[in-house]
């Protein structure tokens, strides 16, 4: 099967209005991604109108616009916002898989492109370990591995947390990472361009927190987000996890 978000570069479509609630509309199909699983919502337009809000109701996505819609509409997702939001998701999958191989769990992450950080379930991480993690992620980027998707019945998936679902979508990054996830991902790792870990701080419970830069769009890092209170970059944590997405 083809999941609607298996190709993150699909940014336009024609759709039919299927339902309306005040200024929110549902359609027979959509290219928009509403915030969930740790990924932020798309931005864009429908018939040239800015999409003000996106919200999920079960598997149906509702789109808010200011003026009435009817019949066939033209959807356009903002390409830059989609790319940045997507790249962060794929980088966190790589980090999750890397640290798992080292026997270290990523216990939390925050995927806001202006405020990226993750927490490791260990009280001590050496500078050498961080340098190796950064080097490994960039090596995978340079190898330009394909990102593919497969689907299994929830009842057949070994993690009990997923067995309640009819279907589980698995994201494969070459042969280095397989993680269940329902968000967007790049089509191949070279699209990430580059990655950097900016620094560390102690998180709650003595665990190690790490700040990271967003992937570089044009082959170089696009600058560092401003520091917020407590030395951590940006806003509060969104609990979406790379290994806990559907």
């Amino acid at each position: 099967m083809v999941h609607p978000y298996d190709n993150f570069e699909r940014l336009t479509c024609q759709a039919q209005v299927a339902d309306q609630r005040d200024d929110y509309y549902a359609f027979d199909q959509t290219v928009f991604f509403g915030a969930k699983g740790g990924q932020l919502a798309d931005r864009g337009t429908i018939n040239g109108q800015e999409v003000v809000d996106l919200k999920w109701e079960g598997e149906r996505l509702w789109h808010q616009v200011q003026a009435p819609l009817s019949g066939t509409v033209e959807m356009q997702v903002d390409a830059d916002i989609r790319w940045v939001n997507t790249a962060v998701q794929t980088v966190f999958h790589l980090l999750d898989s890397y640290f798992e191989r080292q026997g270290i769990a990523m216990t939390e992450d925050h995927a806001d492109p202006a405020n990226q950080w993750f927490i490791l379930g260990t009280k001590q991480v050496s500078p050498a370990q961080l340098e190796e993690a950064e080097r490994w992620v960039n090596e995978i980027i340079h190898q330009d591995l394909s990102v593919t998707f497969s689907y299994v019945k929830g009842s057949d998936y070994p993690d009990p947390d997923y067995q309640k679902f009819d279907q589980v979508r698995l994201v494969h990054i070459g042969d280095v990472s397989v993680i269940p996830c329902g968000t967007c991902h790049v089509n191949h790792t070279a699209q990430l361009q580059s990655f950097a870990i900016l620094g560390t701080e102690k998180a709650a419970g003595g665990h190690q927190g790490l700040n990271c830069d967003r992937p570089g769009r044009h082959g170089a890092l696009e600058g560092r987000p401003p520091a917020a209170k407590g030395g951590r970059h940006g806003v509060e944590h969104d609990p979406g996890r790379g290994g806990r997405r559907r």
Side-chain angles (χ1 to χ4, degrees), residues 54-55 90 95 99 102 106 109 117 162 181 185 200 240 243:
L54 294 163
K55 63 181 182 181
T90 306
L95 286 169
F99 284 114
Q102 313 308 311
M106 277 180 60
D109 63 43
W117 52 263
Y162 291 88
C181 182
H185 286 272
T200 68

Side-chain angles (χ1 to χ4, degrees), residues 86-237:
T86 295
V88 174
Q89 297 300 310
T90 306
V91 164
F92 277 147
H93 274 226
L94 288 174
L95 286 169
D96 203 338
S97 295
Y98 173 81
F99 284 114
E100 183 179 27
R101 287 179 170 83
Q102 313 308 311
I104 301 172
M106 277 180 60
T107 59
E108 295 183 37
D109 63 43
H110 191 290
D112 185 331
N115 173 35
Q116 295 174 43
W117 52 263
F118 57 95
I119 295 178
L120 300 176
T122 180
K123 295 183 178 181
Q124 186 62 45
V125 180
S126 70
Q129 284 176 297
L130 298 183
E131 288 177 8
E132 177 57 23
E134 183 180 292
R135 186 207 64 79
W136 183 85
V137 170
N138 281 298
E139 175 60 27
I140 296 303
I141 291 171
H142 295 153
Q143 289 180 20
D144 199 17
L145 301 182
S146 294
V147 179
T148 59
F149 307 92
S150 64
Y151 299 83
V152 298
K153 292 181 179 179
S155 58
D156 293 338
Y157 194 70
D159 188 333
D161 289 346
Y162 291 88
Q163 292 175 1
K164 62 185 177 182
F165 300 123
D166 293 335
Q167 187 178 72
V168 175
R169 175 179 180 253
L170 302 177
V171 180
H172 304 255
I173 305 176
D175 60 357
V176 301
S177 176
V178 182
I179 292 176
C181 182
T183 70
C184 300
H185 286 272
V186 298
N187 294 327
H188 51 96
T189 58
Q191 291 176 310
L192 300 174
Q193 299 293 332
S194 59
F195 167 76
I197 296 173
L198 300 181
T200 68
E201 64 181 73
K202 290 294 184 181
H207 291 185
Q208 198 78 21
L210 299 100
N211 299 315
C212 53
D213 209 336
R214 62 180 176 175
R217 178 86 194 254
H218 301 292
L221 295 174
E222 294 187 317
R224 300 183 180 187
K229 295 179 181 178
R232 175 165 287 152
H233 294 293
V235 298
E236 294 297 319
H237 170 60

Side-chain angles (χ1 to χ4, degrees), residues 4 11 25 40 47 57 59 66 68 82 91 102 111 126 133 183 208-210 218 220 227:
L11 303 173
Y25 294 83
L40 301 186
N47 284 358
E57 186 177 274
E59 295 300 311
Q66 297 292 335
R82 166 65 68 85
V91 164
Q102 313 308 311
S126 70
T183 70
Q208 198 78 21
L210 299 100
H218 301 292

Side-chain angles (χ1 to χ4, degrees), residues 32 42-46 48-52 54 65 76-78:
F32 282 90
D42 283 330
R43 298 177 190 171
T45 61
I46 300 176
Q49 295 189 65
E50 179 184 0
V51 176
V52 179
L54 294 163
V65 293
Q76 175 69 59
V77 170
D78 183 294

